[in-house]
Amino acid sequence: MSTIIYPSPIFGPVHSRRLGISLGINLQPGDGKVCSFDCIYCECGFNRDHRPHQPRPTRQEVADALEKKLREMTAEGIQPDVLTFAGNGEPTGHPDFSGIIDDTLRLRNQFAPQAKVSVLSNATYLDRPAVHEALMRVDNNIQKLDTVDPRYIALLDRPVSARYDVARVMERLQAFRGKVIVQTMFLTGIVDGTDMDNTGDQYVLPWIEALRRIAPQQVMIYTIDRETPDLRLRKATPGQLDAIRDKVEAAGIACSVSY
């Protein structure tokens, strides 16, 4: 099984299907995975298989490493399109997330003012006021909502905390008042006798109703790109993704597709 464990705190730049030339910022240890979800499609593998032994990088370590990399890229005449918080788990779970965002915005303004600061998040820490406020300061606040069906979330995203409540997550997404991008994974496959296909109206129509309430600036839909830890999953087809995009756009919401 192929698994990607990203270096920490900086990796790349890499080419992102959705964001362009992306310099990654990984707030988790570089030798394992720390995440509040345990998604069966995660390219970093299952949580249990990649327990880290190293600590998270400190706020100062992140700032120093980011400044060093941006100086190197500037000297080479390379400019990132985006500085992306991603990597081996949920970035907003870092205890100094808000301060790290402030440092990143400062360094972006100094070395790559045209670059956007993006956060890829699973929306599990949006109840923390400091997290919400920090996300309001970034350019691309990208929050995961794979479905609004609690049963399906338990099978696909597998929240670590039993307190995860998708209804509460939707309330917190609404609290951004439009300054949010919703990101949703669509896929198919049979896992332990359960049909994991979330491309049909059973899942799509309630999800679109939630999008109407959230009123995001954009929706990003995508499918599997790399090998998943559960090999029984399959990519959604371009036709399935296009049909979902058309429904989102018919609801008056901008939508992009990554096949």
Side-chain angles (χ1 to χ4, degrees):
M1 182 186 301
S2 176
T3 298
I4 300 172
I5 296 297
Y6 292 94
S8 177
I10 305 299
F11 63 93
V14 299
H15 186 270
S16 165
R17 287 184 294 169
R18 286 156 284 168
L19 302 172
I21 298 173
S22 172
L23 183 62
I25 304 172
N26 178 18
L27 300 187
Q28 304 304 339
D31 67 337
K33 182 185 175 193
V34 179
C35 196
S36 49
F37 272 5
D38 194 18
C39 301
I40 62 175
Y41 61 78
C42 181
E43 64 187 22
C44 297
F46 293 126
N47 292 351
R48 67 173 182 267
D49 296 329
H50 304 283
R51 300 294 185 190
H53 300 285
Q54 300 172 4
R56 287 182 170 120
T58 65
R59 174 180 175 179
Q60 190 62 54
E61 287 170 340
V62 175
D64 290 346
L66 179 57
E67 179 172 354
K68 179 181 178 182
K69 185 63 177 182
L70 288 173
R71 286 187 183 278
E72 290 174 357
M73 292 178 69
T74 299
E76 295 167 0
I78 301 171
Q79 289 287 294
D81 295 313
V82 63
L83 308 178
T84 307
F85 285 83
N88 309 333
E90 175 53 34
T92 63
H94 193 290
D96 287 324
F97 177 72
S98 180
I100 291 170
I101 289 295
D102 288 339
D103 296 339
T104 301
L105 292 170
R106 172 178 54 81
L107 291 168
R108 183 276 308 272
N109 293 343
Q110 181 178 353
F111 293 103
Q114 81 295 334
K116 304 293 186 183
V117 174
S118 297
V119 178
L120 303 182
S121 171
N122 64 21
T124 51
Y125 293 104
L126 297 184
D127 276 329
R128 297 181 178 179
V131 169
H132 174 91
E133 292 161 9
L135 290 168
M136 290 293 287
R137 299 196 293 274
V138 304
D139 300 291
N140 296 319
N141 169 26
I142 304 173
Q143 299 292 326
K144 172 168 292 299
L145 185 66
D146 284 337
T147 176
V148 299
D149 185 318
R151 174 183 166 277
Y152 186 84
I153 290 170
L155 294 172
L156 184 74
D157 298 320
R158 304 200 305 178
V160 171
S161 173
R163 294 176 295 176
Y164 179 87
D165 181 354
V166 68
R168 179 62 178 162
V169 168
M170 287 188 285
E171 290 176 3
R172 299 314 304 159
L173 293 173
Q174 286 179 260
F176 286 117
R177 299 187 182 277
K179 188 174 170 52
V180 63
I181 297 169
V182 171
Q183 176 182 259
T184 303
M185 165 69 77
F186 289 100
L187 46 70
T188 67
I190 306 294
V191 176
D192 295 333
T194 299
D195 187 354
M196 298 303 297
D197 186 343
N198 66 337
T199 65
D201 285 350
Q202 172 189 355
Y203 294 107
V204 171
L205 295 184
W207 169 75
I208 289 177
E209 286 306 307
L211 294 178
R212 291 181 192 272
R213 297 194 298 274
I214 295 166
Q217 64 194 67
Q218 183 187 354
V219 172
M220 294 178 170
I221 64 173
Y222 67 124
T223 192
I224 297 166
D225 185 42
R226 300 182 177 94
E227 186 173 275
T228 58
D230 193 312
L231 300 177
R232 295 166 291 187
L233 298 173
R234 298 290 179 266
K235 291 172 70 77
T237 68
Q240 288 170 322
L241 294 174
D242 287 346
I244 295 166
R245 177 203 58 206
D246 291 347
K247 289 184 174 71
V248 175
E249 291 182 341
I253 303 168
C255 184
S256 64
V257 183
S258 297
Y259 301 105

